[in-house]
Amino acid sequence: MEQLDDIDKKLLRLLQADAKLTTKELAARLGLTLSPVYERIKRLENLGFIKQYVAILDKELLGQPITIFCQVSMRYHDKAFIENFEKEIQKLEEVQECYHMAGQVDFLLKINMGSLDEYHGFVRNKLSKIENIGTLNSTFSLKVIKQSLGYRVG
Amino acid sequence: MEQLDDIDKKLLRLLQADAKLTTKELAARLGLTLSPVYERIKRLENLGFIKQYVAILDKELLGQPITIFCQVSMRYHDKAFIENFEKEIQKLEEVQECYHMAGQVDFLLKINMGSLDEYHGFVRNKLSKIENIGTLNSTFSLKVIKQSLGYRVG
DNA sequence: AGTATAGAAAGAAAAATTTTCGGTATGGAA
DNA sequence: TTCCATACCGAAAATTTTTCTTTCTATACT
């Protein structure tokens, strides 16, 4: 963070909101010309502050309106079991996010589905086949109230 | 979804993995020339399948390594109280995501912080000041096991 | 069968953007 | 002061985006 000045931070905020802004537009908003803006972007990419550029799709239009959070507790906590779970989770394309949690629950999964029925099938046929799962506690979202894709910068 | 053929789906998968792919590169991978690829992208944008393009930043480098999930239960469930909570949450820039949940818990918040200390300050000075909050149940992530930014397409 | 028509793809040219590069100004260190 | 590093500027080159016209193909109609 100390590697960033105010212009870098503003640049990151702009790009994380709209990656299609042209260098020209960015330069205008930052009060610079093309070259320094271009160089700053390349620098932020090389330093790893910018990891990638992606298109955000519409999950409703793609037929996956339901967001499910599934709290997973393992039966045993041997290193081998935990690592196996993490490896198996990577293979499940339905699992969009997986966090290793502190506390009672071991893992939190975020999953998008078209219906609860589909989710039921997923749990039954895929998730619950992973070894050593103790309890599953699923809740689903009725509505996304807020979803900012970016982090606070600055 | 019926509006999409196999080429569209592949195109969406490519763009949600890397939005910087040029039309030329996309055309090569899809076995087409520039024009139809260009037109398909514009169509997918206009139909809303592609919502926006963003830069993904590194939360560790930005000094926010901890991901916290906070389950919020309201004391009362009058429409006015719920709507007020939703409105207040929008104002809190620390809250990256907020879902209205089914079940015991009313809302699930996803929050990124630099430290648990900082989170403590946030809860004390900002979150808990919102009216009508019943209980808060926070857990935090030690490690992100998986984070795919895209949805399944097809 | 022949013909019209719509949709998608191709190709080429124009417009805009990205990328490179040489030059200038500023500030700190020797 | 002089040197050096850093950041910025401006212009040219390379590439990409965007627009437009033409070609192809499948389908439906007479």
Side-chain angles (χ1 to χ4, degrees):
Chain A
M1 278 294 277
E2 295 76 27
Q3 311 175 73
L4 305 181
D5 64 14
D6 289 344
I7 295 176
D8 288 323
K9 290 174 186 173
K10 188 167 180 185
L11 185 50
L12 288 175
R13 279 192 288 266
L14 288 167
L15 286 174
Q16 104 173 319
D18 181 2
K20 282 294 186 198
L21 286 169
T22 63
T23 316
K24 196 176 171 184
E25 290 168 323
L26 292 167
R29 299 199 196 185
L30 296 170
L32 290 172
T33 55
L34 297 187
S35 316
V37 174
Y38 179 79
E39 283 159 16
R40 279 171 183 270
I41 293 173
K42 289 303 163 198
R43 178 168 160 271
L44 291 169
E45 289 172 357
N46 290 333
L47 288 175
F49 283 93
I50 297 174
K51 294 205 290 189
Q52 58 174 333
Y53 298 91
V54 303
I56 304 297
L57 308 187
D58 186 300
K59 72 190 174 76
E60 276 75 20
L61 288 179
L62 290 176
Q64 292 165 48
I66 303 180
T67 300
I68 296 150
F69 289 92
C70 178
Q71 296 178 312
V72 182
S73 297
M74 308 303 289
R75 210 185 327 244
Y76 305 112
H77 294 78
D78 310 58
K79 185 157 182 280
F81 278 135
I82 297 295
E83 284 177 355
N84 179 64
F85 178 82
E86 295 182 359
K87 199 180 57 149
E88 292 299 320
I89 280 296
Q90 299 291 347
K91 294 185 198 162
L92 300 180
E93 57 167 11
E94 292 88 347
V95 177
Q96 200 178 19
E97 300 173 23
C98 172
Y99 301 88
H100 194 168
M101 305 299 288
Q104 293 298 320
V105 168
D106 289 308
F107 296 99
L108 178 64
L109 311 180
K110 180 177 161 190
I111 298 163
N112 280 103
M113 285 281 165
S115 66
L116 288 178
D117 221 50
E118 189 185 346
Y119 180 62
H120 176 242
F122 165 73
V123 172
R124 178 160 238 162
N125 300 319
K126 294 198 180 178
L127 185 58
S128 67
K129 294 223 167 134
I130 300 179
E131 221 181 355
N132 186 41
I133 288 184
T135 64
L136 293 178
N137 197 333
S138 303
T139 53
F140 63 93
S141 164
L142 300 163
K143 180 151 181 269
V144 179
I145 304 300
K146 179 175 187 175
Q147 187 159 38
S148 81
L149 299 139
Y151 301 105
R152 281 168 292 135
V153 180
Chain B
M1 277 295 276
E2 295 78 24
Q3 309 174 76
L4 305 182
D5 63 16
D6 289 344
I7 295 176
D8 288 322
K9 289 174 186 171
K10 187 166 180 186
L11 185 50
L12 288 176
R13 278 192 288 267
L14 288 167
L15 287 175
Q16 98 174 327
D18 181 1
K20 283 293 187 201
L21 287 168
T22 62
T23 316
K24 195 176 172 184
E25 290 168 323
L26 292 167
R29 301 200 196 184
L30 296 170
L32 291 172
T33 54
L34 298 187
S35 316
V37 174
Y38 179 79
E39 282 159 15
R40 279 170 184 270
I41 294 173
K42 289 303 162 198
R43 177 169 161 271
L44 292 170
E45 289 173 355
N46 290 332
L47 288 175
F49 283 92
I50 298 174
K51 292 206 290 188
Q52 58 175 334
Y53 298 91
V54 303
I56 304 297
L57 307 187
D58 186 301
K59 71 189 175 76
E60 276 75 20
L61 287 180
L62 290 175
Q64 293 165 48
I66 303 180
T67 300
I68 296 149
F69 289 91
C70 179
Q71 296 179 309
V72 181
S73 297
M74 309 304 288
R75 210 183 329 242
Y76 305 113
H77 293 77
D78 309 58
K79 187 160 181 280
F81 277 133
I82 297 296
E83 284 178 355
N84 178 64
F85 178 82
E86 295 182 359
K87 199 181 60 163
E88 292 299 320
I89 280 297
Q90 299 292 345
K91 295 185 198 162
L92 299 180
E93 59 167 7
E94 292 88 347
V95 177
Q96 197 178 20
E97 299 174 23
C98 173
Y99 302 88
H100 194 167
M101 305 297 289
Q104 293 298 321
V105 168
D106 291 307
F107 295 98
L108 179 64
L109 312 181
K110 181 178 162 191
I111 297 164
N112 280 103
M113 286 282 164
S115 67
L116 290 178
D117 222 48
E118 189 186 346
Y119 180 61
H120 177 242
F122 165 73
V123 172
R124 180 161 235 161
N125 301 318
K126 294 197 178 178
L127 185 57
S128 67
K129 294 225 165 132
I130 299 179
E131 221 181 355
N132 186 42
I133 288 183
T135 65
L136 293 179
N137 198 333
S138 303
T139 53
F140 63 94
S141 164
L142 300 163
K143 177 146 181 272
V144 179
I145 304 300
K146 178 175 187 176
Q147 185 158 40
S148 81
L149 298 138
Y151 301 105
R152 281 167 293 135
V153 180

